[in-house]
Amino acid sequence: YKRQTKVQAAVGLVQLAKLDGFIAARRRLAKQRDEMLAGLEGVALPCEPEDCYHSYYLYTCLVCDAWAGEQRDAIMRRMEEEFQVKCLVANPPAYESRRILREHTAGQRLPRSENIGRRIICLPIHPAMSDADNAFIAAAFIECVESLRSDG
């Protein structure tokens, strides 16, 4: 394992002191985005159960089952190519995305995890994001989703 240097620890402590502010900024942006994307057919937005406090480290959406895989990938491609917004698929099933696990778990199937892995799409969000960039990302996502719906 790797040990942290004193300089890395000092930087980490400074960042840790800013954590509450970072989370507050992400939450504010996420709530704005929730409002902008509310009612977007075919997309489930992140949820925050009443007894939880979401950090919105990722702004994770799920496209409907009909758009799993290829259609989801088409949305992500268009977001990047047309709008220069890089989305990602965070945490797909580990045995699908990591060669060593795939090789040692031949035949492994987790249907629910695989389904979510094909439907998940994470839109960028970070504490320094401007309200204008947040609105742009939401508008681009709406455009891509609406375009997919009209093509389908």
Side-chain angles (χ1 to χ4, degrees):
Y1 80 103
K2 185 178 175 187
R3 295 180 61 151
Q4 201 175 49
T5 67
K6 289 181 181 182
V7 171
Q8 290 170 327
V11 169
L13 287 172
V14 169
Q15 291 299 94
L16 191 56
K18 298 176 183 179
L19 182 60
D20 289 342
F22 289 160
I23 292 172
R26 286 178 185 275
R27 288 179 58 80
R28 184 184 65 76
L29 290 163
K31 295 305 175 192
Q32 285 178 352
R33 190 174 293 170
D34 287 347
E35 291 173 12
M36 291 182 269
L37 298 178
L40 184 59
E41 194 175 330
V43 177
L45 302 179
C47 72
E48 180 180 50
E50 286 186 33
D51 61 339
C52 297
Y53 190 81
H54 202 311
S55 69
Y56 293 97
Y57 174 69
L58 296 170
Y59 189 87
T60 305
C61 300
L62 288 175
V63 299
C64 61
D65 281 317
W67 297 347
E70 275 187 46
Q71 305 290 19
R72 185 272 321 268
D73 293 348
I75 291 171
M76 291 177 64
R77 232 180 352 268
R78 185 163 179 218
M79 287 287 288
E80 185 168 10
E81 292 171 2
E82 188 171 328
F83 299 102
Q84 290 73 54
V85 174
K86 177 86 171 141
C87 300
L88 60 100
V89 175
N91 307 313
Y95 63 87
E96 289 184 341
S97 59
R98 303 181 101 184
R99 182 184 53 81
I100 194 162
L101 290 176
R102 191 170 47 251
E103 290 172 355
H104 288 86
T105 59
Q108 175 71 47
R109 299 275 53 100
L110 297 170
R112 185 174 292 172
S113 296
E114 291 168 11
N115 174 269
I116 290 171
R118 288 188 305 271
R119 295 174 50 216
I120 197 169
I121 181 170
C122 300
L123 304 178
I125 192 167
H126 59 82
M129 180 178 284
S130 70
D131 290 346
D133 285 346
N134 195 28
F136 177 82
I137 290 167
F141 189 58
I142 291 167
E143 170 68 25
C144 292
V145 168
E146 294 293 339
S147 175
L148 179 63
R149 187 179 299 101
S150 67
D151 290 348

